[in-house]
Amino acid sequence: MPKPRERQISLLDTPYYHVCSRVVRKAFLCGIDESTGKSYEHRRDWVEARIHQLSQVYSIDICAYAVMHNHVHIVLYVDTDRAKNWSTAEVLNRWHQLFKGTLLTQQYISNQPLDKFQQASVDSTAETYRKRLMDISWFMRSLNESIARQANAEDNCTGRFWEGRFKSQALLDEAALLACMAYVDLNPVRSKVAKTPEQSAFTGIRLRVRAALKGEQPKQLVPFIGGEQANKLKGLNFTLQDYLTLVDSTGRVVREGKAGAVDQDAEAILTRLQIPTKSWLKLAIEFEQTFTGAVGTPSHLAEFTEHVGLKRSHGIANSKQWLNMV
């Protein structure tokens, strides 16, 4: 039985989450339907554009993503501090980019005079919107409903386009985050729809590689700050070069089927991160098969389990085997 969403998300433990949403019925999110020959590749543009649009509205940033033929993977970072510092006007302006709001919030944004009771109502509504703008469920709702409407209109049908629930995994430590990002970025390579990470269309890794060739990092994604930009307050605590080296080497293992054969540079990076090569390959290649719920070391899983009110730590055996590295 699926766990309630509040049992899967605890911002007290981590701001990082892996979410996955899949389509239903005999429909394609993208790709070519072999039975009809019809191409749905253009829907990848819809999804990618919507992900980037929502990350500019919500206080939720994107670490990695991959748009596949019948599902979407995203690794998210929930920036609660940023949302808490927004003014009432900024909260409402952001919300109105996606939803109509109320008559009073519209009047407030239009600078129409409000009495103290109306102002109190606006303030209360803004606080509700503020919470929603850092809520993963609302983010996924905004993504999925928009794509479903476009797809249903194109298919000239009604009904569900996505499964009713999206999958959510808390990423409780750096090893879990790094492995999950690599797993998502390598999805097209693992599915044999791309030969290399940089050739993987509609993924975060392709954006990162293209930007790196210019000596930059993509503005649409959470930056890597390890050893490069220590003055930045927010970012992934690895170097971009280390991550690209790891993904490239792991991608060759996936493509060539040579278990354990990461190159020496990647092995050195894993040694610094205290991640055994065997564990890394297991996690980066079989992440979803290994963990169905929250991911982290046994101690992190125990804390997460207590905070979300579960009676036992799900996945503790695999955590001890693959993530008990310290």
Side-chain angles (χ1 to χ4, degrees):
M1 183 176 179
K3 298 183 184 68
R5 192 65 64 198
E6 62 269 17
R7 298 290 180 90
Q8 300 177 44
I9 296 174
S10 170
L11 297 179
L12 176 66
D13 293 282
T14 180
Y16 295 102
Y17 292 84
H18 168 223
V19 295
C20 179
S21 203
R22 298 180 180 274
V23 300
V24 297
R25 74 173 184 258
K26 190 177 181 297
F28 275 69
L29 174 56
C30 57
I32 298 175
D33 186 343
E34 294 181 358
S35 64
T36 64
K38 184 174 180 179
S39 174
Y40 295 90
E41 281 293 292
H42 58 282
R43 291 180 178 175
R44 288 186 170 192
D45 287 305
W46 300 352
V47 178
E48 185 174 47
R50 186 65 171 176
I51 289 172
H52 295 321
Q53 178 195 11
L54 293 176
S55 70
Q56 296 300 309
V57 176
Y58 282 79
S59 192
I60 295 178
D61 298 323
I62 312 300
C63 299
Y65 68 91
V67 183
M68 305 301 292
H69 78 281
N70 65 352
H71 64 283
V72 178
H73 289 281
I74 314 175
V75 178
L76 303 170
Y77 170 81
V78 183
D79 193 342
T80 54
D81 290 338
R82 182 175 62 184
K84 290 175 181 178
N85 289 326
W86 287 338
S87 66
T88 296
E90 184 166 5
V91 168
L92 296 181
N93 278 320
R94 286 174 177 270
W95 187 257
H96 289 167
Q97 292 181 51
L98 303 172
F99 304 99
K100 289 180 63 176
T102 69
L103 178 60
L104 287 178
T105 61
Q106 292 286 354
Q107 290 177 346
Y108 179 90
I109 292 301
S110 301
N111 294 318
Q112 296 183 30
L114 302 174
D115 62 35
K116 64 178 183 179
F117 298 106
Q118 292 173 323
Q119 182 62 55
S121 177
V122 167
D123 291 339
S124 176
T125 301
E127 288 310 304
T128 297
Y129 294 164
R130 189 190 307 275
K131 293 177 182 177
R132 292 178 181 177
L133 287 170
M134 51 181 170
D135 187 296
I136 294 174
S137 292
W138 273 90
F139 182 96
M140 294 303 293
R141 171 182 173 178
S142 298
L143 172 63
N144 288 351
E145 287 185 357
S146 172
I147 303 304
R149 284 194 297 269
Q150 290 177 272
N152 282 349
E154 184 176 61
D155 294 340
N156 193 28
C157 67
T158 59
R160 288 189 178 276
F161 182 75
W162 301 93
E163 290 182 353
R165 292 175 60 86
F166 64 89
K167 179 179 180 179
S168 174
Q169 291 180 287
L171 307 174
L172 302 175
D173 48 49
E174 289 188 343
L177 172 61
L178 190 70
C180 185
M181 287 181 60
Y183 174 82
V184 169
D185 281 332
L186 289 170
N187 219 284
V189 176
R190 194 170 52 253
S191 301
K192 302 186 186 306
V193 296
K195 291 184 178 181
T196 62
E198 62 269 23
Q199 293 175 333
S200 303
F202 304 98
T203 61
I205 192 64
R206 188 168 75 161
L207 288 182
R208 291 195 188 276
V209 171
R210 289 185 171 183
L213 292 174
K214 303 176 184 177
E216 302 172 351
Q217 296 203 50
K219 296 180 180 179
Q220 303 97 319
L221 302 175
V222 178
F224 288 88
I225 61 171
E228 300 173 0
Q229 306 167 47
N231 60 326
K232 280 188 173 285
L233 297 178
K234 181 185 70 174
L236 300 163
N237 194 29
F238 320 105
T239 69
L240 175 62
Q241 186 58 50
D242 281 356
Y243 181 72
L244 295 181
T245 298
L246 268 178
V247 171
D248 179 67
S249 182
T250 309
R252 287 199 298 274
V253 172
V254 172
R255 188 171 65 251
E256 299 170 6
K258 297 179 179 178
V262 296
D263 61 33
Q264 291 183 349
D265 289 339
E267 285 187 0
I269 295 164
L270 292 173
T271 298
R272 291 204 308 271
L273 295 172
Q274 295 184 303
I275 303 175
T277 300
K278 181 181 177 181
S279 294
W280 168 258
L281 292 175
K282 175 71 173 180
L283 294 171
I285 296 174
E286 302 178 20
F287 192 87
E288 285 188 287
Q289 298 95 315
T290 305
F291 290 97
T292 58
V295 187
T297 60
S299 60
H300 287 140
L301 265 182
E303 292 176 0
F304 176 83
T305 299
E306 179 182 353
H307 293 156
V308 297
L310 293 174
K311 293 183 178 179
R312 65 185 182 89
S313 298
H314 184 71
I316 193 70
N318 280 336
S319 175
K320 289 178 179 178
Q321 181 175 0
W322 301 109
L323 285 169
N324 196 17
M325 305 163 191
V326 179

